[in-house]
Amino acid sequence: MVLSRFWLTIFICSIAFVLFSLFSGNSYTIDNVLNGKKDDPILISEKYLNEIPKFIQDSIAKNDEKTFVMNSNTTNPDTTYVYKNKTVKIYSGIQKSDGLLPTCKNTLLDLILPLMAYLAFFCGLMELLIISGASDKLAKGLSPVFVKVFPSIPKNHPSISYMTLNFSANFLGLDSAATPFGLKAMQSLQEINPDKEKASDAQIMFMCLHASGLTLIATSIIGYRAAAGAENPADVMLPCIITSFIGTIAAFLIVGVKQKINFKSASLVVGLMVLIAAIVGLLFYVNHLDLIGKNYFTTNLSALILMGIIIFTLIFSFSKEKKFTEANTTVYEAFVTGANNGVKTGVTIFPYVLGMLVAISLFRNSGLFEIISNWIAFAFSNMGVSKEITDALPVALLRPFSSAGSRGFLIDSMNTFGADSMTGRLSSIFQCSAESTFYVIAVYFGSVNIKNTRYALGTMLLVDVICVITAIFVASWFF
């Protein structure tokens, strides 16, 4: 219910603001909101040739392409005059994201189809893990801890192994694997959900822990920083880990209090201590490496782990081929069956993702997001927050809505202020400290047709705020 109202609010407010801007004269056209593409120039006016300054008329006349670019610099978009059919079209600024119709197209071609391919492959592997019995063994081993965190889940339930693989993939920066494992976990949890249209306690806990984004190897962030010319691209790793870890603990405590979980459980404490020890141990190891060693380690660890999962699954499945025979199938046929289920899951979640991304597209292109972002930055600056921090806030504000959008702001902030500036580093920490909340909710709850997300959205947004505040303190401490 909350998500539905929030979605409607974004849609209605964005459309109302677009229409107000058009009829008040602040916008010349709203075609870009519907048909424009990201980074396209925005049409702001159209005049007759004799209505523009004489020096621009002369420049257009001398130019074979009948265009004139004014105020060309690296920090602000150019103002371009284009003469065509007896009028001069004036363009200034660039579009922040694709318009409504291109978003519909790109959601299918650039997002859902690749996601369906990932889902097909990893769901095929999951089918092998299920039939071979590997998932059962993993669930049994981790049940003592998971039944304390998820008390409504029966002991040794298959969802435990799926959630473990999801958390592990997120932890290692394996986004392509994390989503299929997570969707499988949600489907498994839905089987024991007494109210199929309302999120269960276990689903909410899983979603909030997943969305907190605990990451050890921020491979993509390191890549962006390296491309932007950072002296040490991996120097944000430790701040990213600390920020995402605090966000994960905050999510666990907030949901745990709501669900009255026993925090004094011995197995829960031991599990948490093992996790902390593993993180600290890996941090110490990475910290003693030189620059080349860090780059080599971060580049290869995630890939090696993923290859290890694939190889283990295949070898273990072939060693348990008798179980596949008993199930009246073969290893390959089981993989194909699982892959087919993955494709069906992709088709199921498409409308949910489309609806959310179209709303976000309208929100950004209407100009409403930019106004709210500027207000928040202004409020922070009046509170004494340094400009270096406020310049990074657009990344934090957009991150819950769109990973691609916030990534664009991240790259822009590094290009504008420098990859090794406080703004560039803080933007990097914002980008890797949490998930895209609204996208995650649309995908995961949509995959099992959950209509009432209860307090999941509010908790996830609160964790986002905690991550932002933590990132600011951690970045100020380190840099």
Side-chain angles (χ1 to χ4, degrees):
M1 186 65 73
V2 175
L3 180 61
S4 176
R5 289 174 178 172
F6 192 90
W7 180 77
L8 284 171
T9 300
I10 291 178
F11 248 116
I12 294 171
C13 290
S14 299
I15 292 173
F17 191 78
V18 166
L19 295 176
F20 172 79
S21 298
L22 177 65
F23 292 116
S24 65
N26 292 328
S27 297
Y28 180 74
T29 177
I30 61 173
D31 181 68
N32 63 300
V33 176
L34 296 175
N35 299 303
K37 296 181 180 179
K38 186 178 184 298
D39 296 330
D40 275 355
I42 298 176
L43 179 64
I44 62 170
S45 183
E46 186 174 9
K47 298 180 181 296
Y48 290 106
L49 185 61
N50 61 1
E51 294 178 328
I52 61 176
K54 187 66 170 59
F55 77 96
I56 297 179
Q57 295 180 36
D58 295 339
S59 298
I60 290 175
K62 295 176 183 177
N63 193 311
D64 293 337
E65 297 180 356
K66 302 301 180 184
T67 63
F68 175 69
V69 179
M70 187 173 68
N71 297 331
S72 178
N73 60 63
T74 58
T75 57
N76 293 311
D78 302 334
T79 298
T80 306
Y81 295 79
V82 179
Y83 178 66
K84 187 176 182 180
N85 296 331
K86 299 182 181 181
T87 64
V88 178
K89 288 184 169 60
I90 305 172
Y91 298 88
S92 184
I94 58 175
Q95 188 150 332
K96 300 300 182 183
S97 64
D98 288 333
L100 189 150
L101 298 181
T103 295
C104 293
K105 174 186 174 182
N106 295 335
T107 299
L108 175 62
L109 298 180
D110 298 337
L111 181 62
I112 295 298
L113 290 182
L115 178 59
M116 287 172 67
Y118 294 140
L119 285 171
F121 179 73
F122 286 104
C123 286
L125 291 182
M126 288 302 302
E127 190 71 14
L128 300 185
L129 290 172
I130 294 168
I131 297 178
S132 66
S135 61
D136 288 340
K137 292 180 182 295
L138 183 59
K140 288 178 182 178
L142 294 170
S143 274
V145 175
F146 272 74
V147 295
K148 302 299 181 183
V149 180
F150 303 90
S152 61
I153 297 179
K155 190 176 181 180
N156 304 332
H157 192 265
S159 61
I160 295 175
S161 58
Y162 306 148
M163 287 189 288
T164 301
L165 289 169
N166 172 264
F167 293 145
S168 300
N170 270 334
F171 190 61
L172 295 166
L174 302 172
D175 296 338
S176 58
T179 300
F181 293 149
L183 291 174
K184 193 69 178 178
M186 284 295 283
Q187 291 166 3
S188 183
L189 291 171
Q190 183 71 348
E191 293 174 2
I192 56 174
N193 183 4
D195 188 341
K196 302 302 182 184
E197 294 190 352
K198 185 165 67 173
S200 66
D201 285 351
Q203 287 174 323
I204 292 174
M205 176 64 83
F206 168 64
M207 283 296 303
C208 291
L209 290 178
H210 168 81
S212 61
L214 180 57
T215 304
L216 175 67
I217 308 296
T219 308
S220 59
I221 299 298
I222 294 171
Y224 298 140
R225 287 181 50 73
E231 185 176 341
N232 181 3
D235 63 3
V236 297
M237 270 185 58
L238 184 54
C240 284
I241 293 170
I242 293 173
T243 302
S244 60
F245 182 71
I246 291 175
T248 301
I249 295 298
F252 174 58
L253 292 176
I254 293 169
V255 179
V257 169
K258 184 78 173 178
Q259 298 181 1
K260 299 179 181 178
I261 288 174
N262 179 18
F263 294 107
K264 297 180 181 179
S265 168
S267 57
L268 188 59
V269 173
V270 170
L272 184 60
M273 295 305 295
V274 169
L275 177 61
I276 294 173
I279 292 174
V280 172
L282 285 168
L283 286 176
F284 272 112
Y285 174 74
V286 172
N287 195 50
H288 92 278
L289 298 174
D290 59 16
L291 176 58
I292 294 177
K294 287 179 180 177
N295 292 337
Y296 178 81
F297 179 80
T298 56
T299 300
N300 289 294
L301 179 62
S302 298
L304 286 172
I305 294 293
L306 182 56
M307 290 298 294
I309 292 173
I310 296 171
I311 292 170
F312 168 81
T313 302
L314 295 176
I315 293 176
F316 190 83
S317 296
F318 277 109
S319 70
K320 301 292 182 181
E321 201 164 11
K322 185 182 294 185
K323 291 191 175 183
F324 289 85
T325 303
E326 293 172 355
N328 198 29
T329 186
T330 65
V331 174
Y332 181 69
E333 288 172 347
F335 173 84
V336 172
T337 299
N340 186 47
N341 291 333
V343 172
K344 291 177 181 178
T345 300
V347 173
T348 299
I349 66 177
F350 171 56
Y352 294 89
V353 176
L354 177 66
M356 188 58 67
L357 293 185
V358 166
I360 292 170
S361 167
L362 280 172
F363 185 44
R364 291 199 67 200
N365 289 324
S366 68
L368 195 55
F369 171 81
E370 192 169 357
I371 290 175
I372 294 173
S373 176
N374 290 337
W375 282 350
I376 294 175
F378 178 75
F380 271 87
S381 63
N382 284 338
M383 292 166 57
V385 178
S386 70
K387 189 176 185 299
E388 290 179 316
I389 293 175
T390 59
D391 286 336
L393 285 178
V395 178
L397 293 173
L398 193 57
R399 181 64 171 142
F401 296 95
S402 168
S403 176
S406 61
R407 182 170 61 245
F409 274 119
L410 165 64
I411 294 171
D412 180 69
S413 70
M414 289 193 292
N415 291 338
T416 302
F417 304 103
D420 290 326
S421 65
M422 176 64 172
T423 299
R425 284 170 165 149
L426 180 57
S427 297
S428 300
I429 300 171
F430 283 150
Q431 181 69 14
C432 72
S433 62
E435 277 282 2
S436 302
T437 299
F438 292 98
Y439 170 79
V440 167
I441 279 190
V443 169
Y444 281 78
F445 283 123
S447 68
V448 289
N449 297 315
I450 291 289
K451 295 179 174 58
N452 183 358
T453 60
R454 298 170 65 198
Y455 52 88
L457 177 60
T459 302
M460 291 164 72
L461 290 176
L462 178 57
V463 171
D464 287 338
V465 173
I466 292 172
C467 285
V468 169
I469 296 171
T470 303
I472 292 172
F473 279 107
V474 170
S476 301
W477 180 33
F478 274 85
F479 307 115

